[in-house]
């Protein structure tokens, strides 16, 4: 049955630069199959970390991008019509639990709470998944693990996890890397020299200081890689920064001017 997960195997090592002891802590959590929660701002490396760990552990990775329209059936599965009548189609959560993959629910707070509660039986000592529509109780494969992520900066009364969900997980906090580490990441991923990457990171740090003072979110590492990739393709650095860093995060004219000024300071 592992052949069914062939397309979910991470065959090439995803580049990941550790910032603390998160790799060792995750390995310890996986060893006891502890469900894990990754918390941090958008674009700081949470998804890349999960991909790296799946590769390092040699486990398939089934990723679900959560959204407010996602139903329990989207996770669990449903009956489908075909030429022979009806057949059951496992959803991504069921497939991962049945066959032994890491199931990564990205930005889980975007899903409705009545949808996310279906993971509860899988994230305690029971490690089972009831499929009520099919009348089946799926016992989780020994290799199965649930990993969820979300951005605490977007928490609200309407978009937060229940305590009954949170307390089933171990948690790792993520943030933007320190200057030197982020410079190495941007240089590697963007295919540029560290001198240019250093300037990009400096621009991002200026912008991050404006979070809560006109910006909802700072410039992410992901955005820096976008800018670096453009610069690596011989796009003018000023134009690349405006397109990849400034214009996406704000429409406020004064804030754009402030960020454009930060860009011209370094470029």
């Amino acid at each position: 049955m592992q052949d069914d997960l062939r397309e979910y195997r991470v065959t090439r090592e995803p580049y990941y630069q550790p910032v603390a002891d998160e790799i060792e802590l995750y390995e310890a959590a996986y060893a006891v199959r502890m469900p894990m929660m990754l918390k941090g701002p958008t674009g700081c490396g949470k998804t890349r970390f999960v991909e790296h760990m799946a590769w390092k552990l040699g486990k398939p990775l089934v990723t679900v991008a959560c959204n407010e329209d996602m139903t329990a059936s989207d996770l669990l599965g449903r009956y489908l019509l075909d030429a022979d009548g009806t057949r059951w189609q496992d959803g991504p959560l069921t497939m991962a639990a049945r066959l032994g993959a890491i199931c990564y629910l990205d930005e889980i707070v975007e899903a409705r709470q009545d949808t996310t509660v279906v993971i509860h039986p899988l994230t305690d000592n029971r490690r089972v998944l009831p499929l009520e529509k099919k009348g089946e109780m799926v016992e989780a494969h020994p290799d199965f693990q649930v990993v969820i992520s979300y951005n605490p900066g977007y928490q609200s009364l309407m978009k937060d996890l229940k305590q009954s969900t949170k307390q089933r997980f171990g948690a790792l906090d993520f943030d933007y890397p320190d200057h030197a580490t982020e410079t190495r990441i941007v240089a590697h991923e963007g295919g540029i020299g560290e001198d240019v990457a250093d300037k990009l990171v400096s621009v991002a740090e200026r912008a991050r200081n404006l979070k809560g003072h006109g910006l909802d979110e700072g410039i992410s590492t992901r955005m820096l890689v976008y800018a670096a990739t453009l610069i690596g393709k011989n796009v003018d650095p000023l134009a690349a920064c405006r397109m990849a860093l400034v214009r996406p995060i704000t429409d406020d004219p004064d804030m754009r001017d402030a960020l454009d000024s930060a860009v011209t300071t370094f470029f």
Side-chain angles (χ1 to χ4, degrees):
M1 288 197 301
Q2 287 294 316
D3 287 344
D4 296 335
L5 291 172
R6 187 185 303 113
E7 65 183 286
Y8 297 99
R9 293 194 174 277
V10 184
T11 56
R12 295 184 180 180
E13 179 181 2
Y15 178 80
Y16 180 78
Q17 187 75 35
V19 297
D21 56 355
E22 66 270 24
I23 288 179
E24 293 78 13
L25 288 172
Y26 184 92
E27 286 178 323
Y30 183 80
V32 296
R33 304 302 186 265
M34 179 188 294
M36 289 300 297
M37 172 167 45
L38 312 182
K39 303 162 68 174
T42 183
C44 71
K46 300 186 296 295
T47 298
R48 178 61 64 87
F49 173 74
V50 177
E51 292 172 345
H52 179 81
M53 295 310 303
W55 171 84
K56 195 170 190 295
L57 295 166
K59 304 302 177 185
L61 177 64
V62 177
T63 300
V64 180
C66 298
N67 61 80
E68 62 185 9
D69 294 324
M70 188 174 72
T71 65
S73 293
D74 292 326
L75 287 176
L76 300 179
R78 52 172 55 89
Y79 280 104
L80 301 176
L81 290 173
D82 63 16
D84 298 320
T86 61
R87 63 180 177 85
W88 175 263
Q89 176 68 53
D90 279 347
L93 180 64
T94 304
M95 178 178 63
R98 195 188 297 277
L99 300 180
I102 297 171
C103 187
Y104 176 47
L105 304 178
D106 188 20
E107 295 297 345
I108 192 169
V109 294
E110 296 298 327
R112 301 196 308 264
Q113 290 183 343
D114 62 338
T115 297
T116 57
V117 295
V118 301
I119 68 176
H120 283 191
L122 284 170
T123 51
D124 57 29
N125 63 298
R126 292 173 290 175
R127 284 178 60 85
V128 297
L129 184 60
L131 301 179
E132 295 180 4
K133 292 182 179 179
K134 194 182 180 192
E136 180 185 1
M137 183 73 73
V138 177
E139 293 189 10
H141 188 283
D143 291 344
F144 171 74
Q145 184 194 33
V146 175
V147 181
I148 63 175
S149 72
Y150 73 102
N151 181 353
Y154 291 151
Q155 280 189 34
S156 68
L157 291 176
M158 295 301 293
K159 284 197 172 183
D160 196 6
L161 293 177
K162 294 180 177 181
Q163 282 296 326
S164 60
T165 301
K166 287 182 177 180
Q167 293 187 23
R168 296 168 184 271
F169 290 82
L172 290 172
D173 285 332
F174 284 74
D175 205 342
Y176 303 121
D178 63 78
H179 187 100
T181 301
E182 192 165 25
T183 296
R184 289 194 297 272
I185 293 169
V186 173
H188 180 276
E189 295 290 273
I192 59 172
E194 289 201 3
D195 54 337
V196 178
D198 179 81
K199 294 178 181 179
L200 288 171
V201 173
S202 295
V203 171
E205 290 172 342
R206 291 279 186 94
R208 290 165 190 168
N209 289 333
L210 296 174
K211 183 178 178 181
H213 302 280
L215 285 182
D216 293 330
E217 197 72 37
I219 291 173
S220 69
T221 305
R222 180 191 297 123
M223 297 174 76
L224 294 180
V225 172
Y226 287 162
T229 303
L230 291 173
I231 293 171
K233 296 296 184 182
N234 298 317
V235 175
D236 176 72
L238 291 174
C241 288
R242 290 189 181 109
M243 186 169 92
L245 305 182
V246 178
R247 299 302 181 262
I249 64 172
T250 181
D251 295 315
D252 182 83
D254 293 334
M255 188 57 61
R256 283 187 171 188
D257 288 343
L259 294 174
D260 283 341
S261 296
V263 171
T264 55
T265 299
F266 296 101
F267 290 101

